[in-house]
């Protein structure tokens, strides 16, 4: 037993160590997971700004790549009215365009304009958005602006070296027909190859008086009118457009910042991102929650495994203890009658002459002890048969008054100091197996006598009908059963540790009663108070 207990103690110690280990591992895992989540969110704070930038400048990209090249489709035949209509669509779709400057250009004899290869401005118009309309203003002073002179020079160079056997490349188009400056984009419509051939012939023919049209538009942009699309509000609490040189000396306490430069005509501005650490902490906690939940669920699963192992070990330890006590008590129960039988047999085999009275006395001893052994073996055998459901119920009509009287008379003869009384209400005949019912009476009455103080060995049996059941109550004034043990007394081999169990009890009596009652489709209930007594209530079907 000591060796077995040591094994279980070692097992419990290992479980405790394992529980501590997984708890420490949980704490470390939670700490590492939170740190990694924090690092991941901080990295996203730095990298996701590109997505915000792309979404914010998407209208600008569309304007630059799609809307501006539409000018080429007019093939230089834009006039003030059509340019006004075109500018109106630009103002409506792209609020960051504040005004448009339209150049109605003509290309003629280069001797008239030697510096620009005959490229001159016929008329210039300024367009501005107004509520519900567009403001148009003719402004010839713009003809000498640097923008026009630069674009005219680029066009003249392109005409002089252009290869009309092929289309211009994208690089050539961008270098010649676009001029991107901070807050401003100038665009010149791209002439067809046939037009370029004509322009080249104009350069060679100094006497030509013909003129050809080209269109140039300059768009003035305001970056502050860009609609900021914060696609990651969980990361960026505040996004603003600031000049590239913007660099506050004192960043607000508890805030982290990052930035990204805007492209093209907005290259002198940047998106400035700012978030409080509290704002980021909320996002970190939100992302960490499922991770922490998985870790906690894993921990709970491991704890559940530990608890199941502990419970099984505890149950095994109790079963082992019960079996150990059963073997000891059962051995004692066998040893006593065997010893008495051996002594009686030795006396009978002895050489001394025995009187008739002595022979009868030894015979009676042998008979009684054999009955004890037989009763013990029958109880074990019956218990096994009950568990295996190998006993058949032999129903017959039982007169309860006669049945109870016979057991009371038997116990009064067996235990003269046992005070017995009974009462039967509204039920006389009962259909059941008298042998099985008798076993219940036998065990409960034996227990009532055995577990009562001297002078208080009393038992009152009350029988009554409750609807379709018969209720048998066995109320004694014995030592009682503690609440903590009331659920265990019906378990096989369980014994209450007290002085009444020191002289032999195998812990089968009440377990046997419960099995019998269950087998008869009934139930047994215990009501008990320590040192006040116990009441065993057996409920059996009236027509069992």
């Amino acid at each position: 037993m000591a060796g077995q207990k040591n094994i279980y103690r070692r097992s419990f110690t290992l479980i405790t160590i394992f529980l501590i280990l997984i708890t420490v591992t949980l704490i470390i895992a939670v700490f590492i997971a939170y740190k990694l989540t924090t690092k991941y969110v901080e990295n996203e704070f730095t990298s996701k700004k590109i997505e915000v930038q792309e979404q914010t400048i998407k209208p600008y990209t569309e304007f630059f790549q799609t809307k501006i090249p539409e000018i080429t489709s007019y093939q230089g035949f834009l006039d003030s009215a059509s340019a006004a209509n075109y500018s109106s669509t630009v103002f409506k779709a792209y609020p960051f365009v504040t005004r448009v400057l339209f150049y109605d250009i003509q290309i003629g004899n280069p001797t008239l304009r030697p510096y620009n290869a005959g490229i001159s401005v016929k008329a210039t118009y300024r367009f501005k958005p107004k509520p519900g309309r567009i403001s148009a203003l003719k402004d010839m002073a713009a003809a000498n602006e640097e923008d026009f002179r630069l674009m005219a020079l680029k066009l003249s160079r392109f005409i002089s070296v252009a290869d009309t056997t092929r289309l211009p490349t994208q690089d050539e188009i961008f270098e010649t027909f676009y001029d991107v400056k901070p807050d401003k984009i100038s665009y010149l419509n791209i002439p067809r190859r046939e037009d370029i051939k004509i322009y080249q012939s104009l350069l060679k023919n100094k006497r030509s008086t013909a003129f050809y049209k080209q269109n140039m538009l300059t768009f003035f942009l305001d970056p502050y009118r860009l609609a900021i699309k914060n696609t990651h509000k969980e990361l960026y609490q505040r996004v603003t457009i600031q000049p590239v040189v913007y660099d506050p000396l004192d960043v607000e306490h508890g805030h982290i910042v990052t930035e990204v430069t805007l492209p093209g005509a907005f290259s002198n501005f940047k998106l400035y991102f700012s978030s409080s650490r509290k704002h980021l902490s909320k996002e970190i906690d939100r992302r960490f929650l499922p991770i922490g939940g998985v870790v906690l669920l894993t921990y709970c699963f491991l704890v559940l495994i530990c608890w199941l192992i502990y419970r099984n070990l505890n149950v095994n330890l109790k079963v082992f203890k019960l079996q150990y006590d059963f073997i000891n008590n059962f051995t004692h129960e066998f040893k006593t009658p065997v010893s008495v039988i051996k002594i009686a047999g030795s006396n009978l085999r002895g050489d001394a002459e025995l009187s008739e009275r002595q022979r009868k006395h030894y015979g009676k001893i042998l008979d009684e002890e054999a009955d004890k052994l037989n009763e013990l073996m029958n109880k074990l055998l019956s218990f096994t048969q009950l568990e295996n459901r190998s006993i058949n119920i032999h129903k017959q009509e039982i007169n309860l008054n006669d049945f109870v009287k016979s057991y009371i008379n038997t116990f009064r003869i067996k235990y003269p100091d046992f005070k017995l009384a009974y009462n039967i209400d509204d039920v006389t005949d009962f259909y059941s197996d008298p042998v099985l019912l008798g076993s219940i009476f036998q065990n409960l009455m034996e227990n009532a006598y055995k577990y009562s103080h001297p002078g208080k060995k009393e038992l009152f049996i009350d029988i009554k009908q409750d609807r379709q059941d018969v209720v048998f109550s066995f109320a004694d004034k014995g030592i009682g059963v503690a609440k903590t043990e009331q659920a265990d007394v019906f378990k096989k081999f369980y014994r209450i540790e007290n002085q009444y169990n020191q002289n032999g009890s195998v812990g089968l009596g009440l377990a046997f009663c419960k099995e019998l009652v269950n087998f008869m489709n009934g139930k047994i209930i215990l009501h008990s108070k320590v040192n006040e007594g116990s009441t065993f209530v057996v409920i059996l079907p009236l027509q069992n």
Side-chain angles (χ1 to χ4, degrees), residues 150-181:
L150 177 61
M151 293 299 288
L153 180 60
K154 291 166 70 172
L155 179 59
S156 63
R157 288 177 181 173
F158 177 78
I159 293 172
S160 63
V161 298
D163 182 0
T164 57
T165 62
R166 62 176 178 82
L167 291 173
T169 65
Q170 289 297 320
D171 289 339
E172 290 172 339
I173 289 173
F174 185 78
E175 291 175 2
T176 304
F177 301 99
Y178 283 91
D179 181 34
V180 180
K181 293 179 179 178

Side-chain angles (χ1 to χ4, degrees), residues 259-271:
E259 57 188 41
V260 59
T261 305
L262 295 173
F266 299 136
S267 58
N268 56 334
F269 287 87
K270 63 185 178 183
L271 288 178

Side-chain angles (χ1 to χ4, degrees), residues 233-295:
K233 292 182 179 179
E234 74 282 1
L235 296 174
Y236 307 115
Q237 192 174 14
R238 186 166 175 261
V239 183
T240 58
I241 296 175
Q242 301 291 348
V244 172
V245 295
Y246 176 77
D247 187 16
L249 296 177
D250 297 322
V251 177
E252 191 175 346
H253 180 69
H255 282 64
I256 57 175
V257 298
T258 187
E259 57 188 41
V260 59
T261 305
L262 295 173
F266 299 136
S267 58
N268 56 334
F269 287 87
K270 63 185 178 183
L271 288 178
Y272 189 78
F273 302 84
S274 175
S275 292
S276 66
R277 293 203 173 271
K278 185 178 180 181
H279 181 77
L280 277 187
S281 294
K282 289 181 180 179
E283 179 62 15
I284 292 169
D285 293 341
R286 186 187 69 82
R287 298 194 186 190
F288 174 73
L289 188 61
I291 300 173
V294 171
V295 173

Side-chain angles (χ1 to χ4, degrees), residues 3 81 105 217 220 235 348 356 497 501:
I105 300 173
L217 282 86
F220 294 87
L235 296 174
L348 287 173
E356 186 67 22
E497 296 296 335
N501 270 332

Side-chain angles (χ1 to χ4, degrees), residues 108-112 201-210:
N109 194 327
T111 58
L112 302 175
S201 65
L202 285 176
L203 291 176
K204 298 176 181 178
N205 187 359
K206 306 298 184 181
R207 298 179 181 179
S208 175
T209 58

